[in-house]
Amino acid sequence: MLRRLVAGLAAIVLVVEAALLVLVHIVLGRTTANQSMSIAGSDPDVMSKATYVVGAGMGAFLVLCAVLAAVTAIRDRGPGRFGRVALISGAVTHGVLGILSVVLVGWAAFATMMLILCLLVLTLTSYAPRSGDGSGGGAGEDTPPLPPTPPFGELKPTSP
């Protein structure tokens, strides 16, 4: 019950974050275009369009993570390999953004990023595959067991 709640809450928070990030990038793109800002002589039109593209890409990635978390919560089963990789990369992204946000924005932004990171990690760990449950996550399910080893290793003479 708790893991479904965490996965659902992670999905909701990720959708809100995606909407806010897209909105911020739209404002930044418009500001860059209206002020004719350029860095080191780069074209302001290219910079504003690149800001739009980055915002759309980040928003799409966060919505993808939100959909995967929502599907996980609805089905009450762990995500597949692709879903797990996407959620892990989302967690790593939030860790890096948290580090950058504490320097650039402040501690409140850091706390928000760490909250989202915790929700993603808790979703991943609560739906982690256990060895032996048939979900394919256990090591050694398809390989034969290793032969038993003596408790102290193999004894060899030290002198010829």
Side-chain angles (χ1 to χ4, degrees), residues 93-117:
T93 302
H94 279 88
V96 171
L97 286 177
I99 292 168
L100 291 174
S101 68
V102 79
V103 174
L104 298 174
V105 182
W107 288 102
F110 173 76
T112 304
M113 287 292 134
M114 291 304 107
L115 173 73
I116 299 169
L117 172 69

Side-chain angles (χ1 to χ4, degrees), residues 34-63:
N34 290 339
Q35 298 293 325
S36 294
M37 296 178 182
S38 69
I39 297 175
S42 59
D43 186 19
D45 189 42
V46 171
M47 287 180 57
S48 66
K49 287 185 175 140
T51 303
Y52 295 142
V53 169
V54 168
M58 287 176 67
F61 174 68
L62 290 173
V63 168

Side-chain angles (χ1 to χ4, degrees), residues 70-99:
V71 167
T72 299
I74 291 169
R75 290 186 345 193
D76 199 24
R77 279 192 307 175
R81 182 172 292 178
F82 172 76
R84 190 166 291 283
V85 168
L87 290 176
I88 288 171
S89 63
V92 169
T93 302
H94 279 88
V96 171
L97 286 177
I99 292 168

